Each structure stands twice: as C-alpha cells, then as structure tokens.
Amino acid sequence: MNHLFTPFKIKGLELKNRVVMPPMCQYSVTNKDGIATDWHYTHYVSRAIGGAGLIIIEMTDVEPDGRISDFDLGLWSDDQIPALKRIVEACKQHGAKVGIQIAHAGRKAVDAQVPVSSSAIPFDEKSKTPRELTTQEVKDMVEKFRLAVERAVKIGVDTIELHGAHGYLIHQFQSPLTNRRSDEYGKDLTLFGKEVIQAAKSVMPEEMPLIMRISAIEYVEGGYGIDHSIDFSKEYQNAGVDIFHVSSGGEGQIAAHGRPGTHVAYQVPLARDIKQALNVPVIAVGRLDEPSLANAVVGNDDADLVAVGRGMLRNPYWTLEAASKLNKETIIPRQYTTGF
C-alpha cells in the first residue's frame, strides 16, 4: 500500500514522497517587474530543506496585465529567468523537484487598467468590467502561454502546471458563466484551454509531465458541477495533461446556499471523482494539514499526491515533522537531526 512517503514516478518526474507544496502567491515582487526576490528564494528553498517532494512555484504570469497584482511573478521576459533559475537550482540541491504554475488572471487582474477576459463580465459589482478579447487576441494569448512555458523550461523546472482554476483566464473560458462568446472559443468552451495545453507541450521535453489545476465545481448560482469538470478534464487529458490538481471555486462570489464545508478534506471527494473517471494521477488539496489525514488520502487511493498549503506557510519543515509523527523514514538534514 502506498503512503505519504512512498516515492512517486510519472514520465521523467521522480518524487521522493507524495508531499506537494502548492502554488501560493506571495505578492512580494517589490519592484513590480515580475522578477523573483530574496524573499522568494528563502521561501521556496526552506521548504525544500524541509522535505517537500514537489514544490510548485506560485502563479507566474504570461504578461504584465495577467497578474493578480503588480507584486506577482512573471515570465513574459527573459530578464525574469535568472532569479527563478537560482531558486530552482537551490531547491534541487536539497532533494526537491520543482514545478511552476503558469497563468493569466484575466478579469481578476486587479491592477490592470482594463483587464481582459473571455467575455465582458465583471467578477462582482466592485470589480472593473473586463474587455472581451478578440479572436486574434485569444490566439495571441496562447502564444504568450507558450513563450512563458518555454522560459520555464529554461529555468530548469521538472514539471509545468497550467492554472485552469480559481476563476482565472483559462477557467473564465471553460465556464458557461463567464464565456458568452459567439466565435470558435464560445462554441467550444475547452478550446482555449486545449490550445494552451498543446502549446505548452510543444516546448516541453517529452518526458516532462504537465499538470493542470482545475476547479472541479463552482459555488455560485448556475455554476458547473463535477459532471461538467469531468467532461472538460477528459478534453484536457486528451490534449496532453498528465496530472490534475483538483481544487474548487473562484468563479464569482460564493453564494450562501453553495458554500463549501469548512471541514477538513472537503475537496478530497472531488479529486477522487476526477481520478476514477479519467484513470489519471491527481493532487488533492484543501485543509489536509494533519499528517495522518494526508497519509490516509494517499493510503485510501483517493489521490496520488497531497498538497499542503497553509500547513507549510506555518511550518517550512512540515514534511519532516509528518515523517516523524507517522514513523516513516525520510532524510533529515544532518544539521537538524538532533531536533528529531
């Protein structure tokens, strides 16, 4: 039986354990130039020292107006490569594998003067109304994703994650709530996502797996459910996705009647549904900070990997402590052995 500290392999990616540090925006690019800072270096490398098997660098955007805020990371310029490359190399020295989440915020780009989206529908009454991308601009956006992924490969990552969740641009195209287009990208709500996937795969090494983060359900009036997300995930899998990172929500303010539970592991059934429907590896996420719970998610075959977000924000060494509590073998840094 697998457990949290069983190695995991897919294509050319070999992980020493099933613990994933998910992408969590730090809003710490003080110069607003998209270039990673010393904060990012310390933040990620400390989690590598702390034992995480896979670290996914936070949402990194394909153009300046694709950022949630001006303090976010970017990969729209070669100038942004060296600082990220330094982080990736250091994390690998401590035994972690590294991915990076490539994205565009779309209508949720709060610092963009005029955000863009699939359709001109604001997020809420307080948000800016986005401009609908023209058909040619959508095709240009696919190319921006391709170029960002190409740069990500140059920084030496082991895997790429595309952000198709939480109400950002790919999600905006795949949701009937936010895609009211009349062109080809409105007739097929998965077309933009599929083209981005194919563009990413065109510049990724053959043995590098592609992850896609999805929102499996939308907690809003008229939002899609698990059946819809299974359908579009099958389309994305056929286009080239190897692993799904299964989250939920983000496309509109959460309605009271559709609010998810605040209990631990509330999103695990969604990951299990995607895994079983597609026979594909999945990453589960959402309040899985208790080691025995995270271990059970893998042991019960609900998911292949477990993302621990807030737990790692609180404790960079979460993975080492989890191994200790679960009595599982892992490599403790020589300098820290007296602590365990």
Side-chain angles (χ1 to χ4, degrees), residues 33-328:
D33 54 8
I35 297 175
T37 65
D38 286 345
W39 173 267
H40 297 96
Y41 181 90
T42 301
H43 175 64
Y44 290 110
V45 177
S46 61
R47 274 72 185 176
I49 293 171
L54 174 63
I55 293 169
I56 306 177
I57 294 173
E58 67 201 79
M59 181 171 171
T60 302
D61 300 292
V62 304
E63 65 175 1
D65 281 348
R67 295 173 290 179
I68 301 171
S69 83
D70 287 347
F71 297 97
D72 293 349
L73 293 178
L75 262 178
W76 63 79
S77 167
D78 288 351
D79 294 340
Q80 294 153 340
I81 291 175
L84 285 169
K85 186 176 180 65
R86 174 174 173 254
I87 291 170
V88 171
E89 290 175 347
C91 287
K92 288 185 176 186
Q93 287 176 4
H94 298 288
K97 297 299 173 70
V98 186
I100 189 167
Q101 187 185 72
I102 304 299
H104 191 293
R107 69 177 186 168
K108 297 179 83 172
V110 297
D111 285 341
Q113 186 173 358
V114 181
V116 298
S117 185
S118 51
S119 299
I121 303 170
F123 178 71
D124 58 25
E125 65 279 0
K126 298 178 182 178
S127 303
K128 299 171 185 175
T129 298
R131 180 178 62 80
E132 180 176 310
L133 291 162
T134 67
T135 302
Q136 183 57 52
E137 285 175 331
V138 178
K139 296 181 185 301
D140 294 342
M141 188 66 72
V142 173
E143 174 64 6
K144 291 175 182 178
F145 270 89
R146 188 191 70 80
L147 291 170
V149 172
E150 190 171 53
R151 293 185 181 99
V153 171
K154 289 179 181 178
I155 71 174
V157 296
D158 302 288
T159 183
I160 301 290
E161 177 170 290
L162 296 175
H163 201 345
H166 301 164
Y168 298 121
L169 190 60
I170 294 175
H171 187 169
Q172 289 161 34
F173 272 86
Q174 75 198 15
S175 173
L177 288 175
T178 46
N179 187 343
R180 310 285 176 81
R181 303 175 67 91
S182 58
D183 66 356
E184 59 193 293
Y185 294 100
K187 293 184 174 76
D188 178 359
L189 302 187
T190 66
L191 181 58
F192 176 61
K194 289 185 293 189
E195 289 185 347
V196 169
I197 291 163
Q198 291 161 352
K201 297 288 279 193
S202 74
V203 292
M204 292 169 59
E206 186 175 346
E207 285 302 300
M208 180 183 289
L210 177 64
I211 305 170
M212 190 160 197
R213 196 167 205 186
I214 63 165
S215 284
I217 58 176
E218 293 178 312
Y219 304 112
V220 291
E221 186 79 37
Y224 66 69
I226 187 66
D227 290 341
H228 181 76
S229 61
I230 287 173
D231 287 343
F232 69 63
S233 295
K234 287 179 179 177
E235 294 282 331
Y236 293 158
Q237 182 183 30
N238 290 336
V241 173
D242 300 293
I243 304 173
F244 285 92
H245 191 169
V246 185
S247 188
S248 61
E251 195 64 294
Q253 296 292 349
I254 295 174
H257 70 277
R259 183 177 295 277
T262 56
H263 53 278
V264 299
Y266 72 97
Q267 295 179 132
V268 169
L270 303 174
R272 182 176 60 240
D273 287 346
I274 297 292
K275 177 179 172 64
Q276 292 176 348
L278 278 67
N279 190 28
V280 65
V282 298
I283 305 171
V285 65
R287 302 200 65 192
L288 301 175
D289 299 350
E290 171 54 46
S292 60
L293 173 61
N295 192 51
V297 169
V298 174
N300 291 332
D301 203 29
D302 291 325
D304 303 270
L305 303 163
V306 174
V308 179
R310 289 174 177 84
M312 282 201 198
L313 288 181
R314 293 191 299 270
N315 179 7
Y317 312 106
W318 184 94
T319 310
L320 300 181
E321 290 202 347
S324 179
K325 289 180 180 178
L326 296 170
N327 296 315
K328 303 296 184 184

